[in-house]
Amino acid sequence: MSLFRRSVAIMVGLLLLFSAGIFAIEVHQTRASLAERQQADVDNLAQALSLSLVPFVEIGDWTSAETLMRAAADGGAVRQIRLEAVGQEEPLVIGSRRESETPGWFQHLVALPNAVSEREISGGWSALGSVRIASESAGAYDQLWSLALQMLTWMAVGMVGAVLLCVLGFKLLLGPLNRLARSIADMQIDGFDTPLQPSRIRELQGITESVNRLGARLNQQFEQQAEQVVRLQRMTEQDAVSQLGNRAYLSRSLDEWLSAPVGGALVILRIDHLQELYRRDGFEARDQAIRSLGSHLQGAQLGGRAVLAARLSAEEFALILPDCDDETRERWLEETLNRLDDVVDANPLAETRSEHTRAGVVLKESGMTREGALARADSALRDAIELSRRWVVVRPENTLAARGRQEWRQVIDHALTERNVSFVAQPVLMIDGSELHREVFVRLNEGDIQHPAYAFLPVINHFQMGALLDRAVLESLGERAGQFEGRLAINLTADSLVDQAAYRRLIGWLESHPRFAAMLDLEVSEEIALEHLDIVQQLFRSAHRLGARCGVDRFARNLQAMAYLARLRPDYVKIDQGFFVREEVDTEFLRSLCMAAHQVESRVIVTRVESDEQRQRVEAVGADGYQGYLAPISPLTLQ
C-alpha cells in the first residue's frame, strides 16, 4: 500500500474513532438525562395522584378513582398505574401500552432503566392505601433514536468532508515526495546523468542531496572502470605507433564481421614508400608518417559508417569497409589512397602524383573464413603490385552471393509483402542454466528455399528496407503471441530508428500490443547505438515502460565509446566470444569489461560459445550467460 493510501487510511481511522467516541458520549449523556427526567416525571405524577385519590378512596368511589387514574395514564408516559386501598379486595390496575419506532437492537444496546414510583394514600393518622406508577420508555427511546440519526447524519457529512480535505492535503504534502520517487525511479532507467532538482521541503533536501551525491559517485566509478577497460584494451589490441588496432584487434574484428549478417569488404593496403623513408631519413621519420597515416585512417568513414582499421606490419594496413555499392567503394578507395600518398610523400612541385599505395580488396561472401579472407586479400594486393594498379577487387565465387541486388530486392519485397517468412530461434542461457530468452532469426521463403539473414540483410541495408523487415517480423510474431513460451529477442535495424515516421509506427505498434511487448527483448547493435544514441535512449525508455527489456548486440567493438552505456543502461549486452578465446587477451581485461557492464546493471552475454571449455572461461571472467552451439538454433516452436 502506498504512503498516500496509508496516510488517508490512518486519518479515516482516527476520524472514525473520534466520531465513535463523541457519538457514544453524547448518546450516553442523553440516555442518562432521559432516565432522570423520566424518573422525576413518575415521582411527580405519583405524588399528585396520591393526593387526588384521597377523597375517592375515603368514600369508596372506585369509579371516580378509576376515571382519574385513566386520565393520568392518557399522556402516554405511563405504562401502568396500580391502586391498592383498604376495603378493596383486588387492586385497581390501569395499563397503557405504546409501540416504539426505535429498532430493537438499539433499544437493547442503550437500554433505559424502568422508572417506578410508589406513594401512600394518607387518610389522617392511618394509610388508606398506595398507588404505584411504572413509566413507559417508548417515547424516550424514540427521542434517543432521533438524536442518534441526526448525529450519524452530520458525522457522515463531516467525515466525507474531512476525508476530501485530507486527500487534497496529503496530495499537496506528498507531491514533492512523489516527484522525488518518480525521479529516482527514472534514474534506474535513464541513469544519473541529470541530477535531481533541489527540494524546497526541508525534510527532503537531505534525500535529494544524498541521491545526487550517490549518482555522481556511481558515474565516477563507471567512468573510472571504463577508462581502465580502454587502457587494458589499448595494451592488448592497439598498435603503439599508429594508434590503430593491431593483429589481435583485426582477428577479433574479422571474426565478428564474418559472423554478422552484414556485407562489406576487406582491404589490405601496402605503402612501400614507408620503407624508403626508413632507409633515407631513419625510423623517426617513418614513425611520424605512420602516426599521420593512423590519424587519417582512425576516423575514416564510408557512407556515414565507420571503417575499422588495423596495422599489420611496417608497411601494411588492413581495413574493413561497410557495405555499399561498387561505385561508392571505388570512389572512396581512390580518394583514400590519394590522401595516404600525400601523407607519406607530399610534393606540391611535382607535375604528376606518385602512387605509393596499393590495395587488395575482397568482397564478403557467405561461408568465408578469416584465414580465407586474409589470403584472398593478400593475393589481390600482390596482383595489384605486379600489375601496377592502385587496387584489385576479388568478387564472390558462389552464384548465390553474386546474385544481383535488384533481383534480391524483388525476392525480399515479395516475401515481406506476402509475409512469406519463417523463424528459427536460439536460446540464451545463463550460467545457472536458466534461459534469458530465445533470439529470433528470420528466414525469407522463396519457393522451397529458405534464405538465411546473412544472405539478404546486406541488400536490405543497402536499399534501407530494414523498417519493413522489422514490421513484418513483429506483426508475424504478434499474430501468434499466445503460442510462444518465454521471452523472444528481436534485433532491430537502423532504418526503424533513423526514420521518424518508422520509429513512431514501431512505438505505436508496441503500445497497441502491450502483452506481446512485455514478452520481447529488443536489441540494437553497438554501431546503431553509437550513431543514434538519443533515439535509442528514447526507444529503451519506451520499451521499459511497456515491460520489455533492451540489449546491445555486438558490444565492445568500440571500447573507446563505452560511456554510452551509462545513458542507455541496457538490461544486457552481447559480446562476441572472440574476446574470450584468444590467448593474448589478458583475463584482467575481460573481468574489467564485465565489471564495467555490471556497473550499469547490465548482464554480459557471450555469443558464439562453441565448447564447454569456452563456457567455463566465460564463467571464470564474470560473464552472466552465453549463446552458441552448446544451445543450437532450432525452429521457433509453438505451444
Side-chain angles (χ1 to χ4, degrees):
M1 183 183 292
S2 65
L3 179 60
F4 172 75
R5 292 183 177 179
R6 291 185 180 182
S7 300
V8 172
I10 291 174
M11 185 58 65
V12 170
L14 292 175
L15 288 174
L16 286 174
L17 183 62
F18 181 72
S19 300
I22 293 178
F23 179 81
I25 293 172
E26 186 67 24
V27 170
H28 175 73
Q29 290 180 346
T30 305
R31 171 183 172 274
S33 176
L34 289 173
E36 291 178 1
R37 190 177 67 182
Q38 196 174 34
Q39 185 64 49
D41 291 342
V42 171
D43 290 340
N44 293 334
L45 181 59
Q47 181 66 28
L49 194 57
S50 66
L51 296 175
S52 301
L53 287 174
V54 170
F56 302 114
V57 174
E58 288 179 343
I59 63 176
D61 188 359
W62 307 114
T63 301
S64 298
E66 182 178 358
T67 301
L68 179 60
M69 292 169 60
R70 289 189 182 279
D74 284 343
V78 177
R79 185 177 72 241
Q80 186 185 71
I81 300 177
R82 181 185 181 89
L83 174 62
E84 294 182 357
V86 177
Q88 188 180 19
E89 296 180 359
E90 296 292 335
L92 180 59
V93 179
I94 301 299
S96 176
R97 193 73 179 178
R98 174 188 167 188
E99 294 296 331
S100 175
E101 298 178 358
T102 304
W105 62 267
F106 187 77
Q107 295 184 31
H108 178 73
L109 189 63
V110 292
L112 289 169
N114 294 322
V116 179
S117 181
E118 186 172 357
R119 293 290 187 272
E120 290 185 352
I121 302 174
S122 177
W125 295 102
S126 61
L128 299 177
S130 64
V131 60
R132 184 176 183 275
I133 301 177
S135 67
E136 175 59 65
S137 301
Y141 279 122
D142 291 343
Q143 292 182 37
L144 198 57
W145 175 244
S146 177
L147 175 65
L149 289 178
Q150 292 178 10
M151 290 185 61
L152 288 174
T153 301
W154 282 106
M155 284 183 176
V157 173
M159 179 73 68
V160 172
V163 169
L164 291 177
L165 291 176
C166 287
V167 169
L168 293 176
F170 282 130
K171 281 189 175 181
L172 292 175
L173 291 175
L174 296 178
L177 183 60
N178 291 332
R179 288 192 293 271
L180 177 61
R182 286 194 299 268
S183 299
I184 294 176
D186 290 340
M187 281 183 169
Q188 297 178 359
I189 300 176
D190 303 334
F192 297 91
D193 293 335
T194 304
L196 298 176
Q197 295 296 324
S199 176
R200 292 179 295 178
I201 299 178
R202 184 176 58 187
E203 289 79 4
L204 299 182
Q205 291 175 355
I207 298 177
T208 303
E209 293 174 359
S210 298
V211 171
N212 287 337
R213 285 198 300 269
L214 176 61
R217 190 177 305 166
L218 291 176
N219 283 336
Q220 183 180 12
Q221 290 179 356
F222 175 76
E223 290 172 0
Q224 293 174 350
Q225 190 70 42
E227 290 175 0
Q228 180 183 4
V229 172
V230 171
R231 287 195 301 269
L232 293 173
Q233 186 260 353
R234 287 174 178 171
M235 295 171 57
T236 305
E237 294 189 338
Q238 191 175 61
D239 178 66
V241 179
S242 65
Q243 301 300 307
L244 299 175
N246 56 17
R247 280 186 172 272
Y249 171 80
L250 179 64
S251 298
R252 175 178 65 83
S253 299
L254 274 175
D255 289 340
E256 295 173 354
W257 175 61
L258 293 173
S259 64
V262 295
L266 170 65
V267 180
I268 294 182
L269 304 175
R270 181 176 180 85
I271 308 175
D272 291 326
H273 193 68
L274 291 173
Q275 187 65 24
E276 178 65 23
L277 284 176
Y278 175 70
R279 289 196 300 267
R280 188 181 66 194
D281 301 325
F283 72 91
E284 290 186 0
R286 184 198 63 182
D287 288 352
Q288 179 60 38
I290 290 175
R291 280 190 288 271
S292 299
L293 292 170
S295 64
H296 278 80
L297 294 176
Q298 199 168 27
Q301 289 189 339
L302 174 56
R305 287 177 288 175
V307 173
L308 302 182
R311 184 186 178 195
L312 296 180
S313 63
E315 296 88 21
E316 291 186 353
F317 299 83
L319 308 176
I320 299 179
L321 307 184
D323 186 46
C324 62
D325 55 54
D326 294 341
E327 182 180 354
T328 302
R329 185 189 317 106
E330 300 282 332
R331 185 169 58 252
W332 184 88
L333 282 171
E334 183 176 3
E335 294 174 355
T336 300
L337 267 58
N338 289 338
R339 192 182 307 116
L340 297 181
D341 286 341
D342 292 340
V343 170
V344 296
D345 187 20
N347 185 2
L349 300 179
E351 296 182 359
T352 60
R353 179 187 298 275
S354 299
E355 296 180 352
H356 301 294
T357 307
R358 309 289 179 180
V361 184
V362 57
L363 303 184
K364 181 183 176 181
E365 62 177 295
S366 61
M368 182 181 287
T369 62
R370 185 211 318 162
E371 293 78 8
L374 289 171
R376 295 174 68 181
D378 186 69
S379 177
L381 174 62
R382 303 303 166 198
D383 292 342
I385 295 173
E386 292 176 4
L387 299 174
S388 297
R389 295 169 56 182
R390 302 299 301 276
W391 65 82
V392 170
V393 179
V394 179
R395 300 192 176 275
E397 297 177 350
N398 63 72
T399 57
L400 183 62
R403 193 174 193 175
R405 280 195 172 99
Q406 292 297 335
E407 186 179 355
W408 265 117
R409 183 174 186 174
Q410 294 177 2
V411 173
I412 294 169
D413 277 334
H414 182 268
L416 296 183
T417 302
E418 301 295 328
R419 295 291 187 266
N420 194 12
V421 296
S422 56
F423 302 98
V424 295
Q426 185 176 39
V428 173
L429 302 178
M430 308 305 291
I431 295 300
D432 59 6
S434 61
E435 182 180 281
L436 177 68
H437 60 228
R438 287 179 294 164
E439 184 173 0
V440 176
F441 302 96
V442 64
R443 302 284 189 262
L444 294 187
N445 301 326
E446 184 184 10
D448 296 333
I449 302 175
Q450 283 191 345
H451 297 296
Y454 65 79
F456 59 83
L457 269 183
V459 181
I460 284 181
N461 293 332
H462 177 77
F463 290 108
Q464 298 181 347
M465 302 169 64
L468 296 177
L469 175 64
D470 293 341
R471 187 64 179 267
V473 170
L474 287 172
E475 290 182 351
S476 299
L477 293 175
E479 292 173 355
R480 296 174 286 176
Q483 300 175 320
F484 300 120
E485 294 181 348
R487 303 185 68 88
L488 301 178
I490 297 176
N491 208 312
L492 297 176
T493 64
D495 296 330
S496 292
L497 305 177
V498 176
D499 185 3
Q500 288 296 322
Y503 175 74
R504 287 193 295 269
R505 286 194 296 269
L506 171 64
I507 297 300
W509 191 91
L510 292 174
E511 290 176 345
S512 62
H513 299 77
R515 295 185 62 184
F516 180 59
M519 299 171 51
L520 292 179
D521 289 355
L522 301 178
E523 297 180 8
V524 297
S525 66
E526 186 176 67
E527 296 92 332
I528 296 175
L530 291 174
E531 189 173 355
H532 311 287
L533 185 56
D534 292 337
I535 195 70
V536 171
Q537 186 179 26
Q538 294 178 23
L539 171 68
F540 281 17
R541 290 178 180 177
S542 301
H544 281 136
R545 291 185 175 92
L546 291 172
R549 296 188 304 205
C550 302
V552 174
D553 194 17
R554 303 173 70 187
F555 171 66
R557 297 194 67 182
N558 191 344
L559 291 176
Q560 296 180 2
M562 282 192 65
Y564 77 93
L565 279 185
R567 286 188 59 185
L568 295 185
R569 306 184 71 82
D571 296 285
Y572 60 91
V573 295
K574 289 185 176 179
I575 182 171
D576 192 89
Q577 57 88 25
F579 259 115
F580 291 82
V581 297
R582 302 197 316 275
E583 295 298 332
E584 66 269 17
V585 177
D586 189 2
T587 300
E588 185 62 28
F589 166 59
L590 301 177
R591 288 176 178 167
S592 297
L593 185 62
C594 294
M595 289 174 61
H598 291 159
Q599 284 280 351
V600 293
E601 300 180 352
S602 298
R603 287 179 281 193
V604 179
I605 307 300
V606 182
T607 62
R608 295 199 305 123
V609 175
E610 302 174 357
S611 65
D612 191 64
E613 181 181 357
Q614 293 178 3
R615 185 195 63 78
Q616 291 176 0
R617 190 179 186 193
V618 165
E619 182 178 1
V621 298
D624 304 287
Y626 60 92
Q627 179 182 11
Y629 298 114
L630 292 179
I633 294 176
S634 61
L636 187 60
T637 56
L638 308 177
Q639 288 184 353

